[in-house]
Amino acid sequence: MSQSHPRISKAVIPAAGLGTRFLPATKATPKEMLPVVDKPAIQYVVEEAVAAGLDDVLMVTGRNKRPLEDHFDRNYELESALEKKGDGERLAKVQESSDLATMHYVRQGDPKGLGHAVLCAAPHVGDEPFAVLLGDDLIDPRDPLLQRMIEVQQEHGGSVVALMEVAPEQIHLYGSAAVEATTEADVVRLSGLVEKPSREEAPSHYAIIGRYVLDPAVFDVLSKTEPGRGGEIQLTDALQQLAADATLGGPVHGVVFQGRRYDTGDRGDYLRAIVRLACEREDLGPDFRTWLQRFVTEEMQQR
């Protein structure tokens, strides 16, 4: 029988990373503000949270991240200029980001890892479950992963992570989960987690991707978690403790995702994400696909 658990209304988006893989572009521009077609990556993430019913968004930022706050704030000078020109279409696009959600910000200070970034959210979140969305993973809105994770958390309590099966040679790039089947095809129970294991050490090919729905008990565990891989406080290590002892804050389940995911944390995948999304746009897709097909054909002929 399903149980009743507190409604989830808050989302936490860690955005304090330095973006070193995208230097020199990220020397003065936050990586979260790099455009994916014509919107910064971070806006896709906030839109996903809002679509799942989470209209209270806390962004965990760091130094040089002021453009993030500016993007989700009003720009009265630009809006006034567009209004005077009668450019209602662009005015609506500018206002869209500032009207998305109730935005809050807290600075992480020292970059001590994802676990520490999540811990910074404790005063805002309080004693209720919440979602964590990482900006490197963009989930296609046609595949409502976060909504499904919230459903699972509301039914089972505890915490829920998003999982995706990856090739064995890629598992070292992710956290890996040991899983047990449940009566639901897309839901597993986690019995263990390992942060970025070698191929030989990985408990499975199920990788943890950047979506979490967490019980507030994770804050107490994180406050006692020692630095792990990379000398950082790892969220995976805290979830391992919760999975090993459900009395700490309920079980840990995983939702196995088989939908469309765009990885913008890697330069090559970032470019592929732009191409995919541009191809699927009604306003850009037809012309862009025609050009892309011609370009690829010409390139192949020259090789």
Side-chain angles (χ1 to χ4, degrees):
M1 181 179 296
S2 63
Q3 302 178 23
S4 176
H5 298 283
R7 175 182 174 271
I8 299 172
S9 63
K10 296 178 179 178
V12 175
I13 303 177
L18 298 176
T20 54
R21 286 181 290 180
F22 281 85
L23 287 171
T26 50
K27 178 181 178 181
T29 301
K31 67 172 183 176
E32 296 84 4
M33 290 300 297
L34 295 178
V36 180
V37 188
D38 55 3
K39 285 192 297 190
I42 195 69
Q43 184 170 332
Y44 289 89
V45 180
V46 174
E47 289 173 348
E48 180 187 350
V50 172
L54 311 181
D55 54 6
D56 184 322
V57 177
L58 174 70
M59 203 167 290
V60 183
T61 67
R63 293 182 66 250
N64 301 324
K65 298 287 184 169
R66 181 62 184 269
L68 292 172
E69 299 184 32
D70 291 341
H71 180 71
F72 292 100
D73 200 357
R74 298 291 299 274
N75 186 327
Y76 293 101
E77 294 82 0
L78 177 58
E79 292 176 28
S80 177
L82 292 171
E83 190 171 6
K84 288 178 181 178
K85 290 181 179 180
D87 195 339
E89 181 179 353
R90 288 189 174 88
L91 177 61
K93 289 181 178 180
V94 168
Q95 293 176 332
E96 182 182 13
S97 60
S98 57
D99 295 336
L100 270 175
T102 301
M103 302 293 298
H104 307 271
Y105 304 90
V106 63
R107 285 205 174 190
Q108 184 178 5
D110 295 330
K112 297 180 181 178
L114 176 58
H116 181 259
V118 172
L119 188 57
C120 291
H124 180 78
V125 169
D127 191 24
E128 59 183 85
F130 63 103
V132 174
L133 299 87
L134 305 189
D136 288 347
D137 286 323
L138 303 188
I139 304 299
D140 195 294
R142 293 167 294 184
D143 301 312
L145 170 61
L146 189 57
Q147 289 95 319
R148 177 57 176 150
M149 294 173 67
I150 291 173
E151 290 173 4
V152 172
Q153 197 280 336
Q154 295 288 274
E155 180 179 357
H156 297 287
S159 297
V160 181
V161 303
L163 300 174
M164 178 174 274
E165 195 164 9
V166 301
E169 60 270 18
Q170 292 183 315
I171 196 65
H172 71 282
L173 301 172
Y174 302 88
S176 177
V179 303
E180 301 169 356
T182 71
T183 57
E184 299 173 274
D186 65 333
V187 179
V188 293
R189 180 158 178 167
L190 275 61
S191 57
L193 301 92
V194 182
E195 178 66 17
K196 296 182 178 178
S198 66
R199 179 174 178 171
E200 295 73 26
E201 296 173 332
S204 75
H205 298 156
Y206 285 109
I208 303 168
I209 59 176
R211 297 294 180 270
Y212 308 81
V213 177
L214 302 177
D215 187 277
V218 74
F219 292 132
D220 185 56
V221 177
L222 281 169
S223 68
K224 302 171 185 175
T225 299
E226 296 293 327
R229 181 174 289 273
E232 298 180 333
I233 298 174
Q234 299 290 349
L235 179 59
T236 303
D237 293 343
L239 288 170
Q240 161 62 27
Q241 295 186 50
L242 292 175
D245 185 357
T247 64
L248 294 175
V252 179
H253 285 87
V255 170
V256 180
F257 183 60
Q258 296 179 327
R260 287 156 284 200
R261 165 182 174 254
Y262 311 109
D263 184 357
T264 62
D266 172 83
R267 288 173 298 177
D269 285 338
Y270 169 75
L271 294 174
R272 283 185 281 272
I274 293 175
V275 171
R276 285 182 185 176
L277 290 170
C279 284
E280 295 180 357
R281 287 268 295 261
E282 291 183 3
D283 57 337
L284 297 172
D287 289 342
F288 184 68
R289 287 194 298 270
T290 299
W291 172 85
L292 185 62
Q293 186 175 29
R294 184 171 64 248
F295 173 76
V296 172
T297 300
E298 292 173 355
E299 283 291 303
M300 292 297 292
Q301 291 174 347
Q302 294 175 10
R303 291 179 182 270

